[in-house]
């Protein structure tokens, strides 16, 4: 049983209007010193078996085809210890 | 002679399929309902992917719809030349399916925008726009929260150079789209996607800002009858 995390973020060159709105809201709430915020998605994928190379290869395929739109987003796969 | 048959796809959450079917009939065609779960194009001559919130826009707009059983038939048929028009959510689905380049993202102003929108027709070399003239200024309704067209610089340069920008916003960009892009086509020209709604602008009776949407449907019907 393993849990694999897929983090999906907009590519750096893509304008993140939602992240900007969050960054603008922070000073109003009294938080200072934040220069930028970017918003992304986190997927927690529970596996029936271990997070071996075959399973990770499948998860990368999932990320490529569904979890991320690679036209605008990058993804990162990590195994949760 | 039997009328040209235009398939109108319904996904769970599609909203504009009835207007789309009505617009097809208004122009003299036969509207054929296509169901997302049924992998059967029913021998239609063209397909209209209407707007709405298919599959609740879960994950990303159009991301789940792209894998619907019907799409398994539609994607290869479109690649082989079947004329396909996607409006609003239909445009998002075409981009997610990689039938059109680029992607549609949250409006730069973050607000849902619903208004009558000026649009310039940039390309008439498609089966959906042949009844327009190049440079023609039209007005269509827009209504979307995620209509900001984006593509990487190389893709953007290629579609601009290749005449693949079919529609551009005029009189103010409603969503922050790159280069004011409102609609594009694939290289071959048979697949067109746009955020505005031609199917809501075919009859004066409905209070539409224009009847400029009619030309989409007369274009495709002429094309189908003449081939």
């Amino acid at each position: 049983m393993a849990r694999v995390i897929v983090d999906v973020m907009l590519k750096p060159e893509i304008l993140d209007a939602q992240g900007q709105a969050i960054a603008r809201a922070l000073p109003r709430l009294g938080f200072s010193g934040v220069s930028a915020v970017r918003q992304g998605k986190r997927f927690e994928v529970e596996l029936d078996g271990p997070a071996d190379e075959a399973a990770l290869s499948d998860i990368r395929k999932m990320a490529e085809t569904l979890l991320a739109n690679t036209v605008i987003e990058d993804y990162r796969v990590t195994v949760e210890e | 002679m039997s009328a040209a048959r235009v398939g109108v796809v319904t996904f769970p959450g599609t909203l504009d399929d009835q207007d789309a079917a009505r617009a097809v009939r208004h122009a003299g065609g036969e509207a054929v309902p296509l169901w997302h779960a049924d992998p059967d194009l029913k021998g239609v001559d063209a397909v209209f992917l209407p707007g709405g919130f298919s599959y609740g826009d879960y994950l990303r707009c159009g991301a789940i719809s792209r894998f619907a059983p019907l799409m398994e038939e539609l994607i290869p048929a479109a690649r082989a030349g079947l004329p396909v028009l996607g409006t609003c959510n239909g445009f998002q689905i075409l981009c997610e399916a990689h039938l059109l380049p680029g992607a549609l993202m949250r409006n730069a102003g973050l607000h849902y925008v619903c208004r009558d929108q000026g649009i310039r027709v940039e390309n008439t070399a498609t089966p959906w726009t042949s009844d327009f003239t190049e440079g023609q200024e039209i007005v269509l309704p827009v209504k979307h929260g995620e209509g900001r067209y984006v593509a990487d610089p190389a893709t953007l340069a290629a579609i601009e150079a290749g005449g693949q920008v079919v529609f551009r916003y005029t009189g103010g960009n409603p969503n922050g789209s790159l280069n004011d892009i409102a609609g594009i086509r694939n290289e071959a020209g048979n697949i067109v996607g746009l955020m505005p709604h031609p199917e809501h602008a075919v009859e004066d009776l409905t209070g539409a800002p224009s009847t400029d949407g009619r030309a989409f449907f007369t274009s495709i019907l002429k094309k189908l009858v003449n081939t």
Side-chain angles (χ1 to χ4, degrees), chain B residues 32-54:
Chain B
V32 179
L34 299 177
W35 181 238
H36 72 107
D38 189 4
D40 181 3
L41 290 174
K42 304 197 171 152
V44 293
D45 307 303
V47 169
F48 190 114
L49 283 169
F53 299 88
S54 59

Side-chain angles (χ1 to χ4, degrees), chain A residues 36-62:
Chain A
V37 175
R38 288 183 73 76
Q39 176 183 314
K41 294 191 188 97
R42 171 188 163 104
F43 300 87
E44 298 179 348
V45 183
E46 309 278 347
L47 298 178
D48 292 332
D52 53 17
E53 202 32 59
L56 290 177
S57 160
D58 268 356
I59 287 179
R60 280 191 285 271
K61 222 175 285 171
M62 285 176 214

Side-chain angles (χ1 to χ4, degrees), chain B residues 136-173:
Chain B
Q136 188 176 341
E137 305 266 345
I138 62 174
V139 179
L140 294 175
V142 292
K143 44 165 194 158
H144 59 252
E146 310 206 19
R148 171 166 55 102
Y149 183 77
V150 297
D152 63 77
T155 304
L156 194 64
I159 64 173
E160 287 284 0
Q164 285 179 248
V165 175
V166 182
F167 301 102
R168 241 183 268 274
Y169 299 116
T170 60
N173 182 331

